[in-house]
Amino acid sequence: MDAQRALLDELMGAARNLTEEEKKGFREICWDDREVCGSYMVRFCPHDLFFNTKSDLGPCPKIHDPKLKESFEQSPRHDMYVPRFEAELAQFCEKLVLDLDRKVRRGRERLAQEVEAPPPPPIPPEKSEQLALVEDKIKKLLEQVESLGEAGKVDEAEALMRKVDMLNAEKTLLTQSSNDKALTLTQEKKMALCEICGSFLVANDAAERTQSHITGKQHMGYGMIRDFISEYKAAKEKAREERSVKDKEAQEQKKQKEKEGENRKRENDVRERERYRDREKERERSREWSTRGSRDSGRATSDLKHSHYRGNRDWGRDRDRDRNGSRRSRSRSPSRHSRRRSPRSPGRQY
């Protein structure tokens, strides 16, 4: 019936039986809706494991749809939702196992009380009379053995002791038979506890009944739940260790980078100090050269001025010498003397 309904839903849609008005408010269910069972999507739903058993959890309040599960497995968001659904399933399973472990603990305490040796059962009246007669005979024989021993009759005393041993063996048989029956009853009622599902089993039961229990829904269901919890915790621990290793590697890389940065800074400081020293040396050289150059330029200027002065002085002397020479030559020239006018010559006629 369910298969036919699923086939019709696939062919005609889930809203095939709704009226037009109902279809207006109809919303198609998607696998990521809250109404859908995430545990069923990712692994299994615990509600499906214990149907018609003592641990039956009843029907799951959420939707179980193979089509939705198939669409979830083909969805590109599958890997993103798997951790979330697994965490929800693990939380529910851990609650179930916690309740089961309390039940197992109570079962162990109950078995421990039953394992204690029960008090010996009362002896039947018939055997109690036989035991009383045997004990009376043993007491009388021991008195006779003691008196014979005092009289020095060793052989007779040993013969009586052999009779006492026989009576003691008879007494042991009478008491042991009742204890054996009680022990047999105790062994027949001895129970064992299944650590997986918490069920009580007969310790020496037939192999078929033991196998039937192992393959039963309750045992297999709790075994699946315990296996999932162990697997989930192992994966979580592995992820935590990998994350711890990555964090450690990141810290190491960070320390290495900080160390390299400090080394680069130290090297830059050394280079900067060296550059500073070189600049200082260059400034010292520049100051020395500028000081020496100013002295040399001052000296050259003074030499230039002195040579210019001497040149001007010599030039002035040469000029004066030429001037004086020309004067003398003019004063000694006869033509000039002949042209000199007499004071008696008449002046210019106006």
Side-chain angles (χ1 to χ4, degrees):
M1 191 69 181
D2 293 337
Q4 294 176 359
R5 187 182 296 110
L7 181 60
L8 289 174
D9 290 343
E10 185 177 357
L11 294 175
M12 304 176 61
R16 66 185 184 281
N17 296 326
L18 300 180
T19 62
E20 294 297 330
E21 294 181 359
E22 291 175 345
K23 286 182 180 179
K24 292 179 181 178
F26 176 76
R27 183 179 65 87
E28 191 171 356
I29 301 297
C30 185
W31 60 263
D32 57 349
D33 291 339
R34 292 185 177 181
E35 297 86 354
V36 180
C37 181
S39 302
Y40 173 78
M41 292 289 108
V42 70
R43 288 294 186 92
F44 58 87
C45 180
H47 291 269
D48 297 339
L49 300 178
F50 307 110
F51 182 69
N52 285 339
T53 65
K54 293 181 180 179
S55 302
D56 193 350
L57 300 175
C60 180
K62 295 186 177 182
I63 298 173
H64 293 186
D65 190 347
K67 286 178 60 180
L68 295 177
K69 186 171 185 178
E70 183 179 356
S71 63
F72 167 69
E73 292 174 352
Q74 296 175 358
S75 173
R77 296 181 295 161
H78 174 270
D79 295 339
M80 183 174 63
Y81 274 79
V82 164
R84 171 183 164 186
F85 290 160
E86 285 185 346
E88 293 176 357
L89 176 59
Q91 185 177 2
F92 186 57
C93 289
E94 285 178 353
K95 183 178 180 300
L96 292 176
V97 170
L98 187 64
D99 295 339
L100 179 63
D101 288 341
R102 281 198 291 265
K103 179 181 176 182
V104 171
R105 200 178 306 117
R106 291 194 299 267
R108 287 201 200 102
E109 293 174 356
R110 177 181 167 186
L111 287 178
Q113 293 175 357
E114 291 180 356
V115 166
E116 293 179 358
I123 301 174
E126 299 175 357
K127 289 188 177 181
S128 62
E129 292 178 1
Q130 292 179 2
L131 285 173
L133 292 173
V134 171
E135 289 175 356
D136 189 28
K137 288 180 181 180
I138 292 172
K139 185 177 180 182
K140 291 179 179 179
L141 288 174
L142 289 175
E143 291 176 357
Q144 292 178 8
V145 168
E146 185 177 357
S147 61
L148 291 172
E150 291 177 356
K153 298 178 180 180
V154 179
D155 296 336
E156 295 178 359
E158 289 179 354
L160 292 177
M161 281 300 299
R162 284 193 289 272
K163 290 183 180 181
V164 170
D165 292 337
M166 293 174 63
L167 291 173
N168 283 328
E170 185 178 354
K171 178 183 175 181
T172 303
L173 287 174
L174 290 174
T175 55
Q176 188 176 3
S177 61
S178 59
N179 292 334
D180 289 343
K181 289 181 180 179
L183 183 61
T184 303
L185 292 174
T186 303
Q187 288 179 350
E188 287 178 356
K189 294 181 180 180
K190 187 176 180 180
M191 303 293 290
L193 182 67
C194 179
E195 298 289 337
I196 302 297
C197 62
S199 299
F200 284 98
L201 304 172
V202 178
N204 298 321
D205 203 353
E208 294 179 358
R209 294 183 59 121
T210 304
Q211 186 65 25
S212 176
H213 167 76
I214 293 174
T215 57
K217 286 184 178 180
Q218 184 165 324
H219 186 88
M220 292 186 66
Y222 278 113
M224 189 182 297
I225 288 175
R226 290 183 184 274
D227 292 341
F228 168 72
I229 292 175
S230 301
E231 181 183 348
Y232 178 76
K233 289 182 178 179
K236 201 171 181 181
E237 183 67 19
K238 184 179 179 181
R240 188 187 66 80
E241 290 177 357
E242 291 177 354
R243 188 166 53 251
S244 176
V245 171
K246 288 182 180 179
D247 293 342
K248 197 173 292 183
E249 290 177 356
Q251 290 178 0
E252 291 294 332
Q253 291 178 359
K254 184 178 179 181
K255 289 180 181 179
Q256 186 68 22
K257 288 181 180 179
E258 290 177 355
K259 189 175 180 181
E260 291 176 357
E262 292 177 358
N263 293 335
R264 282 196 296 269
K265 185 178 179 182
R266 196 178 297 112
E267 291 174 359
N268 292 334
D269 293 340
V270 171
R271 292 195 196 97
E272 191 64 29
R273 285 195 294 269
E274 290 177 355
R275 291 195 195 99
Y276 180 76
R277 290 195 203 99
D278 294 340
R279 286 196 294 268
E280 287 297 321
K281 289 179 182 179
E282 191 66 29
R283 290 194 190 99
E284 287 293 332
R285 291 195 200 97
S286 299
R287 282 195 291 269
E288 290 178 2
W289 282 105
S290 62
T291 305
R292 189 181 302 172
S294 62
R295 286 200 303 267
D296 294 342
S297 62
R299 190 179 303 156
T301 303
S302 62
D303 293 343
L304 182 61
K305 287 182 179 180
H306 183 66
S307 62
H308 181 69
Y309 173 73
R310 288 180 61 188
N312 289 337
R313 187 178 62 183
D314 294 341
W315 180 78
R317 285 177 184 176
D318 293 339
R319 188 184 62 182
D320 293 340
R321 189 181 300 117
D322 294 339
R323 188 179 296 170
N324 292 333
S326 62
R327 285 176 183 175
R328 283 195 215 95
S329 63
R330 282 199 302 268
S331 64
R332 292 178 183 177
S333 176
S335 61
R336 292 188 65 176
H337 286 289
S338 62
R339 292 179 183 177
R340 186 179 297 176
R341 285 187 305 181
S342 174
R344 294 181 181 178
S345 64
R348 178 180 291 185
Q349 298 286 329
Y350 294 98

